[in-house]
Amino acid sequence: MRLATTLTGIAASLLLASAAHANETLEVDMHKVSTDGVEESIGSVSLETTDHGLLLTPSLSGLEPGVYGFHVHQNASCEPAENDEGEMTAAQAAGGHYDPEETGTHQGPYGDGHLGDLPVLTVNEDGEANLPVLAPRLSMEDMPGRSLMIHEGGDTYSDEPHLGGGGGRMACGVVES
Ligand SMILES: [Cu+2]
Ligand SMILES: [Zn+2]
């Protein structure tokens, strides 16, 4: 009887542990974006808490091989909107890079600028992105109500040259809150 109670207790703790772990993973559906709106799916990015920060594991396909700027943007929308110059722009409704401390500067994942600056995303020769990237300054609590953005071109992790903030907005996913 005593043993049975203990075993039940262990089973309950294991269940609790796995439930807590499940809560620490979020799946973000990614879509191509254009000035017409949100287009076809390209896969998803899985978010996971680790001891070293937020781990983002892409499972994307149908992209051109290369390296792409990758960021957390402020708003939970991938819809087109007018930019500062009044031009309709893909996924502009996502706003700028997530920057809760209003640093106003793009310094990459290890700097002291935008908290939403992530390591670049790598697309292999088969047009797939599978390599995880780690964002040491981000945690899961930052993510609901934001969006993930993939930009044309790479990322210099600085404000100059202009590409530092990424080229055009190519693909986007809303992180559900
Ligand atoms: Cu961006
Ligand atoms: Zn930035």
Side-chain angles (χ1 to χ4, degrees):
M1 188 62 185
R2 174 96 191 231
L3 179 63
T5 310
T6 308
L7 285 177
T8 306
I10 290 172
S13 336
L14 285 174
L15 273 176
L16 280 175
S18 62
H21 190 256
N23 285 339
E24 286 167 13
T25 304
L26 268 180
E27 203 77 12
V28 183
D29 291 326
M30 300 296 292
H31 291 257
K32 287 199 173 167
V33 289
S34 75
T35 52
D36 291 332
V38 177
E39 312 275 359
E40 75 266 26
S41 170
I42 56 168
S44 64
V45 176
S46 161
L47 312 182
E48 184 184 350
T49 300
T50 75
D51 291 342
H52 308 286
L54 190 72
L55 189 69
L56 299 95
T57 305
S59 179
L60 305 172
S61 59
L63 300 170
E64 291 294 315
V67 169
Y68 296 88
F70 190 32
H71 315 118
V72 179
H73 281 237
Q74 180 68 35
N75 305 324
S77 173
C78 295
E79 297 298 326
E82 288 186 3
N83 67 9
D84 292 343
E85 286 85 48
E87 297 161 359
M88 196 51 96
T89 305
Q92 190 68 21
H97 297 183
Y98 177 50
D99 189 22
E101 292 175 20
E102 300 183 355
T103 65
T105 180
H106 185 74
Q107 299 294 327
Y110 316 112
D112 293 323
H114 303 145
L115 198 55
D117 294 350
L118 301 173
V120 290
L121 205 65
T122 304
V123 175
N124 66 22
E125 290 300 313
D126 297 324
E128 296 169 350
N130 306 310
L131 282 181
V133 298
L134 183 69
R137 298 183 300 143
L138 271 177
S139 64
M140 195 64 89
E141 293 78 60
D142 292 306
M143 300 306 291
R146 317 261 164 246
S147 57
L148 282 179
M149 192 74 65
I150 301 173
H151 293 260
E152 289 162 8
D155 191 335
T156 57
Y157 304 142
S158 67
D159 293 318
E160 300 290 337
H162 180 66
L163 187 60
R169 299 178 180 203
M170 190 179 87
C172 178
V174 168
V175 186
E176 304 295 342
S177 49

